[in-house]
Amino acid sequence: MTETTAMQCTPAISKMIDWQQAMKTTKQTIGFVPTMGFLHEGHAELIKEAKKNNDRVAVSIFVNPAQFGPGEDFEEYPRNLDADIRLASQAGADIVFCPGVEDMYPTDGGIRIVPGPLADRLCGASRPGHFDGVLKVVLKLVNIVQPDTVYFGMKDAQQLAIIETFFRDYNCPAVIVRVPTVREMDGLAKSSRNVNLSVQERNEAPVIYEALQQAELLVKEGGSLEGITQFVENTLREKTSGAVDYVSILTYPQLEEPTAVSQDLIIACAVQFSKARLIDNIIFKREG
Ligand code: AMP
């Protein structure tokens, strides 16, 4: 058993490093949950999972400008540090690390991390440079926090696949744990961006998960993947006022075009509403 102490909160990288070194000196394991804040029950689930399996839990809150493209919603991204600190503490965090942009990016020597072909499809195709920025911040954060285990949500399935591949190929020592998507009662995936939906858009948004669930059934019944993709796209077009960015069925986690024998699949989509771009997916097994 570890002692319970009041949760700490710091924007300073040096304080964060002092904390993780103190944990290492006392042989306590660190679970880490990186986030962009405006925390909800999806984030809480990651923190609780980390708490169950580690002595200590660190949560980072950083809206990372490097992963937003020009014209995207960096400025409009919702923020509420006080509420985040409360939620993180209640879910079991021991420290919240909330650096500013100037703390995280004080210099730029021009070195870039290139995520490669895994980032060419799905969100990567419509958000060029997005996953470069994700890998940049994740590498910096894990270097600062030095966790034993890092927790990521399956809602951001492409992000998870890219980070898992990065950690494996570059021998990053932390273990990655996948946490299933937490949903609202009506099936909508919880997301910090949901507050930027209009009332009408919020009413329409559960169609996204309904369409994905129908698609999963149709795939399992042996339907044509092309036809099923088209069916989801048509459903989203007809039943929401959003613009469909993509609907795609790929292998998971390789994110390749499925062959007749591919079993581990993802059906994923993105819909752009007036002020919020929502993504969702289902990862499932198609029996041979
Ligand atoms: P974000 O703050 O949106 O960057 O998300 C931080 C982490 O929380 C990522 O690993 C996300 O995949 C995860 N996450 C976000 N929403 C959910 C959700 N509804 N269920 C589970 N995990 C989530």
Side-chain angles (χ1 to χ4, degrees), residues 34-36 40 42-43 46 77 152-153 155-156 180-182 190:
T35 82
M36 295 207 300
H40 51 66
H43 300 110
L46 271 65
Y77 198 85
F152 290 102
K155 183 172 89 72
D156 298 274
T181 302
V182 177
K190 285 187 182 272

